[in-house]
Amino acid sequence: MRITLAKANQLLSNGEIVAVPTETVYGLAASLKFPSAINQIFKLKGRPSNNPLIVHVSHTEQILKYVKSVPRTFDNLSKAFWPGPLTLVLPVDVSLIPSNARADLSTAAFRIPSHPVARALLEETGPLVMPSANLSGRPSATKPDHIETDFGADFPILDGGSCGYGLESTILYLDEDQWKIVRCGSIPSEAFVNALGYHPEIDMASKNGPLCPGQLYRHYAPNAKLYLRTDSKNCKGVVIGFSDRNYSYAARVFSLGPSNQPDVVAEHLYAILRQLDEERIVEAEVDMDFPQHGLWRTIAERLQRAAKPPF
Ligand code: TXA
Ligand code: MG
């Protein structure tokens, strides 16, 4: 069900849940003022309670209110990337953020989205937690239709059209004065060098376990079994590939876009994974013959997770 901004504000102020567009993917929003609504989000998504949520705000000052100590590089990062697809994990005053949103950690994740609808809403409501608007484990939702598929036609959706980036925010975690990337995302690792003076290490599975609990889980996966192939010419059967390549052995090609435009590929990726399910396709081969740096790295990581067997 499509709703207006005023209705979304009203529902959230009553402790209800609403789907909200962001520039990355759609989110399922609940007000930070309603721990019961936050619990409801975990239930609705089937999300493990040890996987914390991102707090979304409209201004940096709102974040500073929660944070225990502000890292030296915070200003550089916030000026360079906010509003936009960056999430920062910071130590917080735990009395100010409901424990279920933090999964009982002493840190919380923060993001200032740039999507005009999300921003207009946040101005009205104040801080909102917003996990991606999909059933846990499924590909994230980048269009209102995807939300209806997962949560039903009556679910309240603030319609912002298709999400421009199509992949989640990049998450940085401060580990002993060095930022680490704990979730690859819409901002490639190389883009941080200017703001930080160094290339942040990508640390998605350190020896002590992941710094980002979400990395523990199977994610972004369609029902179809995906086979990842680097020998693009030999892809056969149902193929997820590129519009400028010829797949002589393919029975059917789902095109992600041109092989030299990772931003276009990122925008289409989840919609294509969801389309496989709509068409009840049981297996597909994915053309993985693309570079392993920049935004491609995030695309590859999402596909690798999507291809993991269920566990
Ligand atoms: O682009 C995005 O970030 C989207 C849109 C809606 O803003 N949101 C999103 O939320 O992707 P979600 O819940 O699907 O993913 C949040 C990730 C999870 O992997 C979670 O483990 C991690 O953020 N996270 C949250 N709080 C954390 C914390 N305190 N420490 C480490 N990781 C944290
Ligand atoms: Mg998610």
Side-chain angles (χ1 to χ4, degrees), residues 150-295:
D150 282 14
F151 300 108
D154 291 339
F155 197 83
I157 302 172
L158 198 48
D159 189 346
S162 290
C163 302
Y165 283 94
L167 297 174
E168 297 80 354
S169 59
T170 302
I171 305 183
L172 293 189
Y173 177 102
L174 192 63
D175 192 19
E176 293 176 5
D177 210 34
Q178 291 277 306
W179 291 99
K180 287 181 170 174
I181 294 181
V182 293
R183 179 177 74 182
C184 290
S186 283
I187 305 174
S189 59
E190 295 84 351
F192 292 104
V193 175
N194 256 350
L196 292 178
Y198 59 91
H199 187 173
E201 183 191 341
I202 300 176
D203 188 1
M204 296 197 296
S206 75
K207 54 184 181 307
N208 303 320
L211 298 170
C212 168
Q215 300 301 107
L216 283 167
Y217 301 103
R218 181 173 188 250
H219 252 147
Y220 319 115
N223 295 323
K225 173 89 188 90
L226 300 183
Y227 297 92
L228 308 183
R229 306 207 51 153
T230 46
D231 53 341
S232 118
K233 281 199 182 64
N234 295 322
C235 286
K236 59 181 188 309
V238 176
V239 173
I240 301 178
F242 300 100
S243 53
D244 53 335
R245 288 188 187 164
N246 194 9
Y247 302 97
S248 327
Y249 307 116
R252 167 95 190 267
V253 179
F254 287 87
S255 170
L256 293 165
S259 63
N260 61 354
Q261 291 187 41
D263 50 337
V264 175
V265 171
E267 190 185 338
H268 294 154
L269 180 63
Y270 292 145
I272 296 226
L273 294 181
R274 282 176 169 269
Q275 204 183 334
L276 297 180
D277 286 349
E278 257 165 52
E279 301 197 21
R280 298 186 193 284
I281 287 167
V282 292
E283 57 178 44
E285 296 196 349
V286 188
D287 180 357
M288 297 290 286
D289 183 11
F290 49 75
Q292 293 299 305
H293 54 79
L295 192 55

Side-chain angles (χ1 to χ4, degrees), residues 9-310:
N9 184 17
Q10 187 205 334
L11 290 173
L12 290 163
S13 314
N14 286 334
E16 293 184 49
I17 298 167
V18 169
V20 175
T22 84
E23 71 280 17
T24 57
V25 298
Y26 273 79
L28 279 191
S31 167
L32 210 56
K33 293 178 206 144
F34 289 93
S36 57
I38 297 173
N39 265 340
Q40 191 56 30
I41 283 193
F42 281 92
K43 272 208 195 123
L44 203 63
K45 279 179 61 83
R47 181 179 177 108
S49 58
N50 64 354
N51 192 7
L53 308 177
I54 300 173
V55 177
H56 295 64
V57 300
S58 50
H59 298 285
T60 322
E61 299 72 52
Q62 290 170 298
I63 298 174
L64 298 178
K65 252 183 21 198
Y66 297 114
V67 169
K68 264 193 156 165
S69 66
V70 182
R72 194 172 39 82
T73 40
F74 178 86
D75 269 359
N76 282 0
L77 286 171
S78 66
K79 286 196 181 106
F81 297 105
W82 279 337
L86 170 67
T87 294
L88 295 182
V89 176
L90 294 163
V92 289
D93 176 344
V94 292
S95 68
L96 300 177
I97 297 184
S99 59
N100 55 357
R102 294 178 278 109
D104 260 340
L105 299 172
S106 57
T107 54
F110 296 96
R111 172 160 122 74
I112 305 182
S114 63
H115 194 293
V117 175
R119 291 185 64 72
L121 183 68
L122 284 163
E123 292 281 358
E124 303 272 329
T125 58
L128 299 172
V129 291
M130 272 202 250
S132 50
N134 53 280
L135 291 170
S136 213
R138 303 265 304 133
S140 300
T142 54
K143 298 171 198 273
D145 287 2
H146 300 161
I147 302 163
E148 287 181 353
T149 303
D150 282 14
F151 300 108
D154 291 339
F155 197 83
I157 302 172
L158 198 48
D159 189 346
S162 290
C163 302
Y165 283 94
L167 297 174
E168 297 80 354
S169 59
T170 302
I171 305 183
L172 293 189
Y173 177 102
L174 192 63
D175 192 19
E176 293 176 5
D177 210 34
Q178 291 277 306
W179 291 99
K180 287 181 170 174
I181 294 181
V182 293
R183 179 177 74 182
C184 290
S186 283
I187 305 174
S189 59
E190 295 84 351
F192 292 104
V193 175
N194 256 350
L196 292 178
Y198 59 91
H199 187 173
E201 183 191 341
I202 300 176
D203 188 1
M204 296 197 296
S206 75
K207 54 184 181 307
N208 303 320
L211 298 170
C212 168
Q215 300 301 107
L216 283 167
Y217 301 103
R218 181 173 188 250
H219 252 147
Y220 319 115
N223 295 323
K225 173 89 188 90
L226 300 183
Y227 297 92
L228 308 183
R229 306 207 51 153
T230 46
D231 53 341
S232 118
K233 281 199 182 64
N234 295 322
C235 286
K236 59 181 188 309
V238 176
V239 173
I240 301 178
F242 300 100
S243 53
D244 53 335
R245 288 188 187 164
N246 194 9
Y247 302 97
S248 327
Y249 307 116
R252 167 95 190 267
V253 179
F254 287 87
S255 170
L256 293 165
S259 63
N260 61 354
Q261 291 187 41
D263 50 337
V264 175
V265 171
E267 190 185 338
H268 294 154
L269 180 63
Y270 292 145
I272 296 226
L273 294 181
R274 282 176 169 269
Q275 204 183 334
L276 297 180
D277 286 349
E278 257 165 52
E279 301 197 21
R280 298 186 193 284
I281 287 167
V282 292
E283 57 178 44
E285 296 196 349
V286 188
D287 180 357
M288 297 290 286
D289 183 11
F290 49 75
Q292 293 299 305
H293 54 79
L295 192 55
W296 288 113
R297 197 200 304 260
T298 304
I299 294 166
E301 192 265 343
R302 296 302 193 265
L303 284 166
Q304 277 148 7
R305 274 171 179 275
K308 274 196 180 165

